[in-house]
Amino acid sequence: MGQLWLGIGPVLGTSLSESSIPFFQLFEDSPCFVVRHLHFELPYPVGHNGVMRGTKNTTRGMLLALAFAVCSLAGADLQYRVEPDPANESLKLSITIPSPSEGVRLQMPRWAPGSYRLTTNFRNVRDLTAVDESGKAVEVQHPDDWTWSLAPSGAKSVTVRYTCPSPMVGGAMHFSGPSTYLYVVDRLREPCTVAFSMPDKWIVAIGLDESKGAKNTFYAPNYDVLADNPATLGEFALLGYVVQGKPHFIALRGGAADDVDREGLVKACRFVTESEGDFFGGLPYSKYVWHFNVNDSPDGAGGLEHLSSTQISLASGVGPRAVSVLAHEFFHLWNVKRIRSAPLGPFDYTQLPKTGALWWLEGVTDYYAHHLLHRYGWWDTDRFHQDILDNVRTVRARPQRLEVSPYDASFRVGEAAGGRGNSQGFGVSYYDTGWLLGLCLDIEIRSQTGGKRSLDDVMRALWDLCRNGKPGFAEDEIRKQCVRFGGPALGPFYDKIVMQPGELPVEEQLAKIGLRMSERLDRFVDVGFDWAAVRAEQAVRVRNVHGPAKDRLRDGDRIIEANGKSLKLPTTRAIYATLQPILEKATTDEVLLLRVLRDGEEIEVRILPELSTRTGTKIDDAAPGDLQKRALREGLYYDGVPHKG
């Protein structure tokens, strides 16, 4: 996604980069591999930490199969160099620029692709100087905040040096291109290399291909690609797996990197790769890097997509919300990074782009991320129905939906926040709005064609238009493709729900596949309080005391034990994993026994949960006997993917 934030607890930015190994190819049937300081261990039995371990013979077999497509350093015009300075938590950077006969202007991007807001990245640039090939100083001027100018000097080349801050986190540094790399104005299309000069034992993870014969040096065909590849440097855990013969790296850093469910994470990443790669019929890169900054939380994630990698803050528990973000960011490999509207590349880094398609590029991406997790069997239909309800609730909570169309929410995003833009939309969010638009268009196309066509056809047609470096699509192309596959009725339907403000017809669309949304009265066992795990206190903090706990607990109490199980645990994830099952199993005929810390004293609290009710919304079958609607629904759910039931 652009920047999608979803989860419980603090969400921190992270990234992933690839180890600088010049040649490698891993067996596609290997479920996992581990890279540590340039050493591969091929999978075989699963160890206690969920990481596959290799044997001597399998490792030898892998080494005999090593082969990796690499790019030559020859012909690269702009040479970037990155040298980490851990002691000062900064990066020393340089750019060697050949043939500066007309003088040189350099700029720092004012925004980053995927995040549609103006930034002040120029403030990262410190101590900028320039010299020619003989070491003679070249005068530098600074005409505006994000521009530096070098006068014509007759030199064959100039080298510009500067520093940027880069904090150390758990033995590693991470940076993104648009906040780090200056670019040479009017030379954005020239090839680039970036070389990393690092301390011993450090590795680098990055989505670029390595240059042949040059250690820790990588090639990019132009600045856009260079800037779109974040890097992780240092000593960090690096896992991996292979799909369709292509290596995928999982770089872990952050405060909870050692606590993450590694086996579950590799499984989720592999599932997303296989299912979405199957949907599009292949993977559009030579290698891929998941950059993860792991935080101590049971679920949740937030991320930013790139051409052959993603940066994701990740809860160590890798719950369902985290997996949905993995699916979202990976789907962006196609939709937005390659399937894109024309204004989204090549980029003008001085001003925000204007496109009315962000509802498609972000929101429909999220629709497919969740939809494919269901279609390929990661989660069940109840979960998919809940996704629909969650998006309906968030969209209808914003009154601006009746005044701002989805197209304008996208096109006018730069007007938000006083003209600085944001990564959500103008007036309404193009994420959840686009999610529902994807559902409505998908159902309409299926309904109009008797299930012979779907939104899948539109997505794949756009892929055919944009793949292999073709220009982005025109602003009206999505509509054209919807009409192409859904028939003439899709034109006015599209205009009504995309180009005009108003309520999205979710109920009417669901009815076409035999489903209905209705209110229900749910019964549940109420323990009488809400809570949040606090890692620093190794306890659970109580809040919103009510009902059966009203006279027994107080807001701010710390629960340190529940039904005899201690909550003095080292991680938030562990605290949740201990307390949540106890509360889920609570009944109205069994006392919940808590040990509570209040005002420095431990006290025992007994609570008898009560049966309560709450109003909710459900989706159920409104036409069980209508075989035509059922067939449309089955098509939407699974579309040819084998499933149980």
Side-chain angles (χ1 to χ4, degrees):
M1 64 196 165
Q3 286 185 319
L4 179 63
W5 300 102
L6 179 62
I8 302 174
V11 177
L12 307 175
T14 55
S15 72
L16 154 67
S17 58
E18 177 188 19
S19 131
S20 56
I21 302 172
F23 309 96
F24 60 86
Q25 179 177 340
L26 301 172
F27 297 119
E28 188 168 354
D29 60 354
S30 298
C32 172
F33 61 82
V34 181
V35 185
R36 294 191 193 284
H37 308 310
L38 310 187
H39 172 65
F40 282 102
E41 292 181 328
L42 271 187
Y44 234 57
V46 179
H48 71 280
N49 61 351
V51 175
M52 308 300 290
R53 295 297 180 187
T55 66
K56 187 174 183 179
N57 289 336
T58 56
T59 302
R60 183 182 298 113
M62 179 203 71
L63 293 174
L64 292 175
L66 294 180
F68 181 30
V70 294
C71 297
S72 171
L73 178 61
D77 290 332
L78 303 174
Q79 300 176 26
Y80 289 75
R81 179 166 292 275
V82 179
E83 181 182 353
D85 183 359
N88 294 307
E89 295 197 313
S90 64
L91 298 171
K92 297 177 181 178
L93 299 118
S94 69
I95 316 170
T96 298
I97 307 162
S99 306
S101 57
E102 303 299 324
V104 172
R105 284 196 306 143
L106 300 108
Q107 291 181 329
M108 181 63 78
R110 298 186 64 206
W111 68 285
S115 178
Y116 304 98
R117 59 187 180 86
L118 294 176
T119 66
T120 56
N121 289 329
F122 52 82
R123 293 178 181 172
N124 294 335
V125 179
R126 301 172 183 174
D127 307 320
L128 189 145
T129 60
V131 296
D132 63 17
E133 71 275 8
S134 66
K136 181 181 177 181
V138 176
E139 181 183 356
V140 178
Q141 296 181 340
H142 194 20
D144 58 51
D145 286 340
W146 55 87
T147 306
W148 291 260
S149 296
L150 281 61
S153 62
K156 295 180 180 179
S157 69
V158 294
T159 297
V160 177
R161 299 186 177 96
Y162 61 101
T163 63
C164 284
S166 184
M168 290 286 294
V169 179
M173 289 180 170
H174 174 76
F175 68 86
S176 62
S179 62
T180 306
Y181 298 130
L182 293 168
Y183 64 86
V184 183
V185 177
D186 298 327
R187 297 179 68 170
L188 286 163
R189 312 271 35 94
E190 294 183 19
C192 308
T193 59
V194 56
F196 294 87
S197 177
M198 301 182 297
D200 291 342
K201 296 185 178 180
W202 276 37
I203 57 175
V204 54
I206 192 168
L208 294 171
D209 288 334
E210 191 166 19
S211 296
K212 184 177 181 180
K215 183 180 180 181
N216 293 335
T217 301
F218 302 87
Y219 171 83
N222 53 57
Y223 178 85
D224 286 353
V225 175
L226 173 70
D228 200 53
N229 277 274
T232 301
L233 319 172
E235 297 184 71
F236 53 92
L238 193 59
L239 313 178
Y241 60 95
V242 176
V243 171
Q244 296 183 18
K246 298 181 179 182
H248 297 73
F249 294 88
I250 298 173
L252 300 173
R253 65 187 190 95
D258 292 337
D259 302 326
V260 72
D261 177 2
R262 295 187 178 188
E263 183 179 9
L265 178 58
V266 171
K267 180 181 178 181
C269 290
R270 173 184 282 277
F271 181 90
V272 167
T273 304
E274 290 176 341
S275 58
E276 296 186 6
D278 179 72
F279 177 81
F280 280 105
L283 299 172
Y285 48 77
S286 60
K287 68 178 180 183
Y288 189 81
V289 182
W290 299 89
H291 295 273
F292 288 123
N293 183 18
V294 187
N295 61 80
D296 179 27
S297 182
D299 195 7
L304 184 65
E305 73 278 356
H306 300 284
L307 280 165
S308 55
S309 62
T310 184
Q311 298 167 280
I312 294 179
S313 61
L314 181 74
S316 57
V318 195
R321 277 172 285 189
V323 174
S324 72
V325 173
L326 304 185
H328 178 109
E329 299 304 337
F330 200 80
F331 199 87
H332 270 318
L333 282 165
W334 295 272
N335 203 33
V336 86
K337 299 311 300 184
R338 292 168 174 85
I339 301 171
R340 57 177 178 79
S341 54
L344 297 183
F347 298 111
D348 179 350
Y349 292 100
T350 66
Q351 56 186 342
L352 295 174
K354 288 189 175 183
T355 174
L358 295 180
W359 65 270
W360 175 273
L361 299 171
E362 294 292 351
V364 174
T365 287
D366 208 37
Y367 168 69
Y368 269 105
H370 292 75
H371 183 25
L372 295 183
L373 285 171
H374 173 256
R375 183 186 296 184
Y376 284 86
W378 184 265
W379 55 42
D380 61 20
T381 300
D382 287 343
R383 177 81 197 191
F384 182 58
H385 286 175
Q386 190 58 51
D387 286 336
I388 298 173
L389 295 173
D390 289 345
N391 281 281
V392 169
R393 184 182 65 254
T394 54
V395 166
R396 292 181 179 176
R398 299 187 185 95
Q400 297 97 321
R401 73 190 186 282
L402 304 178
E403 302 171 0
V404 179
S405 71
Y407 182 91
D408 280 342
S410 302
F411 192 81
R412 300 176 63 185
V413 62
E415 299 176 34
R420 298 199 64 82
N422 64 25
S423 291
Q424 283 290 322
F426 175 79
V428 298
S429 170
Y430 44 64
Y431 284 100
D432 46 33
T433 302
W435 202 109
L436 294 181
L437 288 172
L439 176 70
C440 290
L441 288 168
D442 202 357
I443 293 174
E444 189 66 17
I445 294 172
R446 292 174 188 274
S447 178
Q448 291 290 334
T449 63
K452 295 178 181 179
R453 294 293 190 177
S454 72
L455 199 65
D456 297 0
D457 296 295
V458 176
M459 183 65 73
R460 292 177 181 133
L462 292 173
W463 174 225
D464 288 339
L465 282 174
C466 296
R467 66 193 308 166
N468 299 324
K470 297 174 186 175
F473 58 76
E475 290 291 289
D476 63 347
E477 189 63 43
I478 300 170
R479 184 186 189 277
K480 286 182 179 179
Q481 295 297 334
C482 286
V483 172
R484 172 189 173 190
F485 291 107
L490 261 293
F493 182 78
Y494 180 99
D495 293 340
K496 180 179 179 180
I497 66 173
V498 174
M499 306 304 294
Q500 301 173 18
E503 203 75 89
L504 296 179
V506 178
E507 289 87 348
E508 295 92 316
Q509 294 305 99
L510 290 176
K512 294 175 183 178
I513 58 173
L515 296 177
R516 66 185 168 199
M517 291 171 49
S518 58
E519 287 193 352
R520 65 184 180 189
L521 200 61
D522 290 330
R523 289 174 162 243
F524 71 101
V525 176
D526 187 6
V527 297
F529 62 92
D530 297 329
W531 58 280
V534 182
R535 178 178 184 172
E537 299 173 358
Q538 292 191 336
V540 165
R541 185 175 297 175
V542 173
R543 54 188 176 84
N544 190 26
V545 176
H546 60 277
K550 187 173 183 180
D551 298 325
R552 292 167 174 79
L553 287 175
R554 300 177 186 172
D555 284 0
D557 280 350
R558 271 78 165 166
I559 303 174
I560 58 176
E561 186 180 289
N563 284 354
K565 292 189 176 182
S566 175
L567 300 178
K568 294 181 179 180
L569 300 169
T571 68
T572 301
R573 176 186 167 201
I575 296 171
Y576 271 90
T578 301
L579 182 57
Q580 188 67 35
I582 293 173
L583 299 182
E584 288 177 350
K585 295 176 182 178
T587 65
T588 58
D589 55 6
E590 186 175 348
V591 170
L592 180 64
L593 182 60
L594 306 175
R595 184 159 293 278
V596 173
L597 186 63
R598 179 186 297 166
D599 299 330
E601 296 184 6
E602 289 188 18
I603 61 173
E604 186 177 272
V605 174
R606 292 173 177 266
I607 298 172
L608 184 63
E610 297 176 351
L611 192 63
S612 187
T613 58
R614 58 191 168 201
T615 301
T617 307
K618 65 177 180 179
I619 293 177
D620 57 17
D621 191 346
D626 192 323
L627 297 182
Q628 184 178 10
K629 290 182 177 180
R630 179 177 178 178
L632 290 176
R633 183 166 71 246
E634 290 289 304
L636 176 76
Y637 284 166
Y638 306 111
D639 223 327
V641 177
H643 64 283
K644 297 179 181 179

